[in-house]
């Protein structure tokens, strides 16, 4: 029997453990392996070309996408300026004007008493209907629950209240009751202290909305311009690199991509510059003039109303000025005429052609004559000749009413001229952006395709 060889460790000891093995290497992720393959591929010329093609194509596509995005936003804002915010601003001004004119017509009719003409009554009714229609349109174009919507709702509540007071004043006036004057003064107070301030607030809010739309439409699209310059730089570098390695001057694909990108960049800069110039012109020679003229017209309407109420109140409403007791309506008339004068002076400076200057100059002449006739009427009233004063205010000939009508007519003519100027300039600005978002997107895609084809042409030489 063969002898058993002695076990390691000697008698009575455990067998020795097997020798240790090295741990298995950790499995790499697919992402890490992909990065390594990309690095390895980029170390070769075909790999570098693929990376260059991808980067250049991505830059061109990004340029087109950002251009389309930014110019779509600016075109929409310019469209809002032309078709929404400015018309709504003018509509708000018309609501204010209609209310102020209705108040003026009511006081003129009251002064005429039983001899109120059908024309005066018609003007009042038309103004009330115009204000009501304007409020309906403004409500339809306002956001529910917005401050503008609440202002419109309140004006809709106040309008029938005002009408009721005027009708009561007329009724008592026809019957010869002095209380009619008190009702008319109460109606005027409601108009001056509640309705017109709210109408002015609505006008202010619409103007703020208009300014916001201008602010969205006019800024230069710097992000798109920067991407366009970067894309052109990348295309130029790629072509220079291609020339250094192959001595070939032109790569048709890259040249096409460069041409497309250049066209989009020039279209973007020139198109937006023209649009900005048109919109700026529409604001400087349209909106600013319209705002000044609206304010001047409102001042003239308020002055006429206060002039009438001076005769209606007959000294019942007074105010202390420098220690002297004066008729409060006559004091307000003087303030309104000062506002009118400043407004006409500003409108004359803003008018940039004869068609805009002529009606403003005529209105200034009418205002000067109005002041002269008003002074004569006040002298007659202060000397106790009320009937003569009344004739100088609402008479058929040689009265202040003729001057007021001249101011109002010429301001309306100036407003129509400036409205046309605004529409022309704003329309030109909006049209300068027509097709730019879509054209930029299409040309950018074609440019990216050209870049890929140009790089692909070089890659085919390595196969």
């Amino acid at each position: 029997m063969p002898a058993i060889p002695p076990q390691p460790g000697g008698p009575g000891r455990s067998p020795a453990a097997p020798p240790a093995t090295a741990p298995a290497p950790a499995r790499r992720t697919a992402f890490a392996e992909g990065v390594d393959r990309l690095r390895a591929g980029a170390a070769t010329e075909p790999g570098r070309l693929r990376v260059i093609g991808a980067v250049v194509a991505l830059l061109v596509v990004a340029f087109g996408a950002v251009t389309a995005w930014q110019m779509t936003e600016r075109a929409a804002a310019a469209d809002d300026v032309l078709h929404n915010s400015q018309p709504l601003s003018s509509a708000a001004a018309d609501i204010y004007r209609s209310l102020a004119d209705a108040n003026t017509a009511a006081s003129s009719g009251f002064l005429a008493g039983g001899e109120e003409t059908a024309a005066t009554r018609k003007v009042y009714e038309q103004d009330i209907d115009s204000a009501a229609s304007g409020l309906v349109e403004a409500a339809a174009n306002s956001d529910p629950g917005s401050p503008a919507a609440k202002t419109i709702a309140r004006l809709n509540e106040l309008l029938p209240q005002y009408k009721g007071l005027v009708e009561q004043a007329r009724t008592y006036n026809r019957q010869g009751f002095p209380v009619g004057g008190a009702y008319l003064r109460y109606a005027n107070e409601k108009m001056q202290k509640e309705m017109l301030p709210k109408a002015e607030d609505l006008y202010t809010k619409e103007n703020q909305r208009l300014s916001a739309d201008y602010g969205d439409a006019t800024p230069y699209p710097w992000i798109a311009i920067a991407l366009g310059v970067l894309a052109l730089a990348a295309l130029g570098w790629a072509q220079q690199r291609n020339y250094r390695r192959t001595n070939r001057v032109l790569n048709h694909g890259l040249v096409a991509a460069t041409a497309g990108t250049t066209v989009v960049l020039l279209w973007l800069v020139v198109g937006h510059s023209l649009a900005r110039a048109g919109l700026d012109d529409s604001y400087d020679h349209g909106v600013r003039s319209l705002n000044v003229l609206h304010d001047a017209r409102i001042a003239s309407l308020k002055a006429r109303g206060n002039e009438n109420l001076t005769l209606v109140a007959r000294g019942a409403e007074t105010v202390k000025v420098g220690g002297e007791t004066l008729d409060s309506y006559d004091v307000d008339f003087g303030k309104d005429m000062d506002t009118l004068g400043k407004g006409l002076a500003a409108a004359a400076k803003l008018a940039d052609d004869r068609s805009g200057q002529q009606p403003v100059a005529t209105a200034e002449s009418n205002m000067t004559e109005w002041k002269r006739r008003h002074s004569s009427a006040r002298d007659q009233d202060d000397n106790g000749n009320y009937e003569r004063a009344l004739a100088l205010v609402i008479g058929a000939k040689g009265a202040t009413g003729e001057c007021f009508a001249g101011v109002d007519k010429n301001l309306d003519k100036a407003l129509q001229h400036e409205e046309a100027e605004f529409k022309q300039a704003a329309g030109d600005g909006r049209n300068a952006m027509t097709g730019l978002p879509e054209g930029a997107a299409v040309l950018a895609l074609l440019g990216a395709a050209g870049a890929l084809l140009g790089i692909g042409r070089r890659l085919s030489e390595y196969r």
Side-chain angles (χ1 to χ4, degrees):
M1 185 174 182
I4 299 174
Q7 299 296 319
R13 295 189 181 182
S14 301
T21 59
R27 182 176 177 81
R28 304 190 67 211
T29 63
F31 176 77
E33 292 178 355
V35 170
D36 285 344
R37 283 197 297 270
L38 284 175
R39 286 176 178 171
T44 64
E45 181 60 15
R48 294 190 191 97
L49 288 173
R50 290 188 183 94
V51 172
I52 291 170
V55 171
V56 169
L58 182 62
L59 280 174
V60 174
V61 169
F63 169 48
V66 173
T67 297
W69 161 56
Q70 290 197 303
M71 295 313 298
T72 296
E73 287 190 337
R74 282 157 178 75
D79 196 66
D80 284 340
V81 165
L82 182 60
H83 296 118
N84 292 322
S85 51
Q86 196 285 324
L88 287 174
S89 175
S90 289
D94 286 340
I95 291 172
Y96 195 119
R97 186 204 63 79
S98 296
L99 292 173
D101 196 38
N103 200 45
T104 298
S107 61
S108 296
F110 186 92
L111 284 175
E115 298 179 2
E116 179 182 8
T117 64
T120 302
R121 180 70 179 181
K122 183 179 180 181
V123 168
Y124 170 79
E125 295 293 348
Q126 286 178 338
D127 285 332
I128 292 295
D129 290 343
S130 177
S133 299
L135 289 172
V136 170
E137 182 180 354
N141 288 284
S142 63
D143 297 327
S146 66
K150 293 177 182 177
T151 300
I152 294 167
R154 181 56 180 159
L155 280 170
N156 276 319
E157 293 174 2
L158 291 170
L159 188 59
Q161 296 176 20
Y162 172 80
K163 288 176 62 179
L165 290 170
V166 170
E167 291 308 317
Q168 285 181 300
R170 279 200 173 105
T171 300
Y172 286 123
N173 190 43
R174 284 195 298 267
Q175 296 173 355
F177 296 149
V179 73
Y183 272 101
L184 187 65
R185 292 196 300 273
Y186 185 31
N188 177 73
E189 183 177 357
K190 184 173 286 292
M191 176 65 75
Q192 298 288 349
K193 295 185 177 181
E194 294 186 65
M195 299 176 71
L196 289 183
K198 290 193 176 300
E200 184 176 12
D201 181 59
L202 179 63
Y203 176 50
T204 300
K205 286 183 171 62
E206 294 300 344
N207 265 347
Q208 291 171 348
R209 179 176 173 181
L210 175 60
S211 296
D213 285 337
Y214 269 107
D216 291 338
T218 55
Y220 273 106
W222 292 116
I223 298 177
I225 292 173
L227 278 173
V229 172
L230 185 61
L232 281 179
L235 284 163
W237 173 82
Q239 290 175 88
Q240 185 185 37
R241 181 180 185 278
N242 183 61
Y243 171 71
R244 288 200 313 265
R245 290 178 177 270
T246 66
N247 287 325
R248 292 172 185 168
V249 177
L250 297 177
N251 178 292
H252 294 159
L254 292 176
V255 169
T258 303
T261 304
T262 302
V263 168
V264 174
L265 185 58
L266 288 175
W267 190 2
L268 172 64
V269 174
V270 175
H272 187 269
S273 296
L274 291 174
R276 182 187 176 98
L279 290 169
D280 285 344
D281 186 54
S282 74
Y283 185 83
D284 292 335
H285 300 109
V287 172
R288 289 179 63 197
S289 294
L290 287 170
N291 288 342
V292 168
L293 289 167
H294 280 308
D295 292 343
R297 196 177 192 190
I298 288 166
S300 72
L301 290 165
K302 291 172 72 175
R304 180 60 177 172
N306 282 316
E307 182 178 46
N308 290 339
L309 285 165
T310 301
L311 294 176
V312 171
R314 305 187 73 169
E317 301 287 341
T318 60
V319 65
K320 289 280 188 180
V321 178
E324 186 179 0
T325 301
L326 301 174
D327 186 288
S328 63
Y329 295 115
D330 195 42
V331 170
D332 289 339
F333 170 84
K335 294 177 180 177
D336 293 332
M337 292 300 280
D338 287 343
T339 302
L340 173 59
K342 292 176 182 177
L344 290 174
K349 290 180 180 179
L350 290 171
D352 58 347
D353 58 18
R354 180 170 176 77
S355 297
Q357 293 166 351
Q358 188 273 329
V360 174
T362 305
E364 288 181 307
S365 298
N366 294 145
M367 180 191 68
T368 301
E369 179 63 16
W370 184 0
K371 288 181 177 180
R372 189 189 68 78
R373 293 183 185 184
H374 174 82
S375 180
S376 299
R378 294 311 310 141
D379 288 342
Q380 293 293 330
D381 191 30
D382 291 341
N383 291 326
N385 195 348
Y386 178 79
E387 293 300 325
R388 178 57 184 158
L390 188 63
L392 287 172
V393 173
I394 65 169
K397 189 173 181 60
T400 59
E402 290 179 336
C403 302
F404 161 72
V407 169
D408 193 66
K409 178 182 177 180
N410 282 287
L411 283 175
D412 183 61
K413 185 177 179 180
L415 280 165
Q416 291 182 26
H417 172 74
E418 297 301 335
E419 185 81 24
E421 292 274 291
F422 162 80
K423 289 181 178 178
Q424 179 66 45
D428 290 344
R430 172 61 185 88
N431 292 338
M433 291 186 275
T434 300
L436 180 50
E438 299 82 1
V442 171
L443 287 174
L445 288 175
L446 292 176
L452 291 176
L453 288 174
I455 296 296
R457 179 69 175 172
R458 284 280 294 119
L459 282 171
S460 65
E461 297 172 359
Y462 288 88
R463 298 190 183 109

